[in-house]
């Protein structure tokens, strides 16, 4: 969605309103990732809750875009499919994060490798540069899964859940990076001066209800 927004080259006014939100979200994701990685007791619940809020918000945005006509064609159809899935997954993550105890850690232990592999498969299906990134992510996902399994078998599964928390923190931080990149791009667009009026409207009386170039 961020790349699509920049590719569409929004107007300076839209970029001026949008870039602070992207910057705040990127900073928040990175901050949550740092706290989640350094907080063994509650980091898993924090990361899972943050992921849940992010997915619910993204699902709502996708559904709104599909239903209001802000998106059209294939984008609207894709948003209509992904919106409920994202919102539902986010709601489940929030419920798991609110449950005291080790449930959040166990959810991350299962969800972290599955999400990495799923994201890799999505990238592989796109082709081009995304396909190369998908292969790299798939290799990394397989290595992470192997590390989690070996840690659980050789040591214990609580330790494996702790490793999954670190992996999830890294993934959340990675999510924040494109938000900051998008915010920087939007801020650049927002700093552009407003387009000058065309020569045909120079000195016209549009502001007073008429146009001096008219007949």
């Amino acid at each position: 969605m961020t790349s699509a927004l920049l590719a569409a080259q929004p107007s300076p006014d839209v970029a001026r309103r949008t870039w602070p939100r992207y910057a705040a979200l990127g900073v928040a994701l990175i901050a949550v990732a740092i706290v989640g990685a350094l907080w063994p007791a509650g980091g898993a619940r924090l990361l899972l809750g943050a992921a849940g809020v992010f997915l619910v918000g993204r699902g709502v945005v996708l559904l709104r875009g599909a239903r209001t006509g802000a998106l059209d064609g294939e984008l609207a159809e894709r948003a209509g499919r992904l919106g409920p899935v994202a919102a539902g997954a986010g709601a489940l993550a929030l419920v798991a994060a609110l449950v005291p105890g080790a449930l959040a850690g166990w959810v991350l232990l299962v969800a972290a490798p599955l999400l990495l592999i799923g994201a890799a498969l999505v990238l592989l299906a796109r082709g081009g540069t995304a396909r190369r990134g998908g292969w790299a992510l798939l290799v990394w996902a397989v290595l992470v899964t192997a590390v989690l399994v070996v840690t659980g078998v050789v040591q214990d599964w609580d330790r494996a859940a702790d490793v999954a928390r670190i992996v999830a923190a890294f993934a959340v931080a990675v999510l924040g990076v494109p938000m900051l990149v998008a915010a920087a791009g939007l801020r650049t667009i927002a700093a552009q001066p407003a387009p000058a009026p065309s020569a045909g409207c120079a000195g016209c009386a549009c502001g007073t209800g008429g146009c001096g170039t008219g007949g």
Side-chain angles (χ1 to χ4, degrees):
M1 295 295 292
T2 56
S3 59
L5 179 61
L6 291 177
Q9 284 295 305
S11 67
D13 286 340
V14 173
R16 202 171 295 118
R17 294 194 303 268
T18 305
W19 81 261
R21 295 200 296 265
Y22 275 80
L25 181 57
V27 171
L29 287 172
I30 293 175
V32 166
I34 294 173
V35 175
L38 298 178
W39 186 19
R45 294 177 63 191
L46 175 64
L47 291 167
L48 196 61
V53 171
F54 179 83
L55 287 173
V56 169
R58 179 55 61 188
V60 170
V61 169
L62 289 174
L63 283 174
R64 184 181 302 167
R67 293 176 178 176
T68 60
L71 301 173
D72 53 6
E74 184 181 353
L75 284 178
E77 183 180 352
R78 187 182 305 172
R81 293 196 308 266
L82 294 180
V85 174
L92 291 176
L94 281 173
V95 171
L98 293 174
V99 175
L103 177 60
W106 287 98
V107 171
L108 289 181
L109 178 60
V110 175
L114 289 179
L115 290 176
L116 289 174
I117 293 173
L121 294 177
V122 170
L123 292 175
L124 287 173
R126 293 185 178 181
T129 304
R131 186 178 181 86
R132 291 194 293 271
W135 280 115
L137 182 58
L138 183 61
V139 171
W140 190 63
V142 171
L143 291 175
V144 166
T145 304
V147 168
L148 293 177
V149 173
V150 170
T151 302
V153 172
V154 174
Q155 298 185 25
D156 59 74
W157 291 104
D158 288 335
R159 175 58 181 165
D162 201 44
V163 174
R165 174 176 58 85
I166 303 300
V167 172
F170 179 75
V172 170
V174 169
L175 283 177
V177 172
M179 295 294 174
L180 294 178
V181 172
L186 289 169
R187 187 178 182 183
T188 300
I189 297 173
Q192 295 175 357
S198 62
C201 288
C204 72
C206 294
T208 58
C211 182
T213 62

